[in-house]
């Protein structure tokens, strides 16, 4: 599955637009990570536990995006965008969306 944040896939020609596809995941903070984050706020530095949590969340959302695109026959997704929002205290959503297309080689 080709994924592009542009409206095109370089070197490919879009032959069919199949519509909007999306993927999301909602994750909650981990108490152990919160303790370490509190210490980092005092001393400074990267919150590696949260960095890892966000990376895992993005990967999961992208996998769900690709599964939805494959289910409707796409071989590429263009104009991909990410969004995040707070769902509840300590829980956030990572949302990714784009346009499912069929591309062919030029």
């Amino acid at each position: 599955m080709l994924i592009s944040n542009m409206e095109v896939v370089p070197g490919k020609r879009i032959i069919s637009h199949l519509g909007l596809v999306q993927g999301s995941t909602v994750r909650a903070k981990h108490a152990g990570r919160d303790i370490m984050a509190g210490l980092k706020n005092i001393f400074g530095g990267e919150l590696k536990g949260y960095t890892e949590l966000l990376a895992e969340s993005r990967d999961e959302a992208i996998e769900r995006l690709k599964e939805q695109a494959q289910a409707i026959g796409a071989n590429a997704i263009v104009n991909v965008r990410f969004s995040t929002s707070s769902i509840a205290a300590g829980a956030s959503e990572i949302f990714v969306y784009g346009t499912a297309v069929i591309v062919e080689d030029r």
Side-chain angles (χ1 to χ4, degrees), residues 3-105:
I3 297 178
S4 174
N5 64 340
M6 300 184 296
E7 294 178 6
V8 298
V9 178
K12 307 286 184 184
R13 184 171 67 92
I14 295 175
I15 59 173
S16 181
H17 286 80
L18 303 176
L20 178 70
V21 288
Q22 60 194 11
S24 69
T25 184
V26 176
R27 296 286 179 103
K29 295 188 286 184
H30 183 277
R33 287 181 176 158
D34 278 349
I35 292 169
M36 293 306 295
L39 292 174
K40 288 287 185 172
N41 281 335
I42 295 170
F43 298 108
E46 180 183 6
L47 303 176
K48 291 184 182 179
Y50 288 139
T51 300
E52 292 169 5
L53 178 66
L54 287 172
E56 292 167 5
S57 297
R58 281 190 301 271
D59 290 345
E60 187 170 327
I62 289 170
E63 281 305 310
R64 291 177 178 171
L65 173 81
K66 292 189 321 189
E67 288 171 5
Q68 193 175 76
Q70 287 171 341
I72 61 173
N75 64 358
I77 308 166
V78 296
N79 211 23
V80 172
R81 300 289 183 261
F82 285 89
S83 177
T84 185
S85 61
S86 180
I87 300 298
S92 294
E93 177 189 36
I94 298 287
F95 181 68
V96 60
Y97 59 96
T99 302
V101 297
I102 297 174
V103 297
E104 70 179 8
D105 290 323

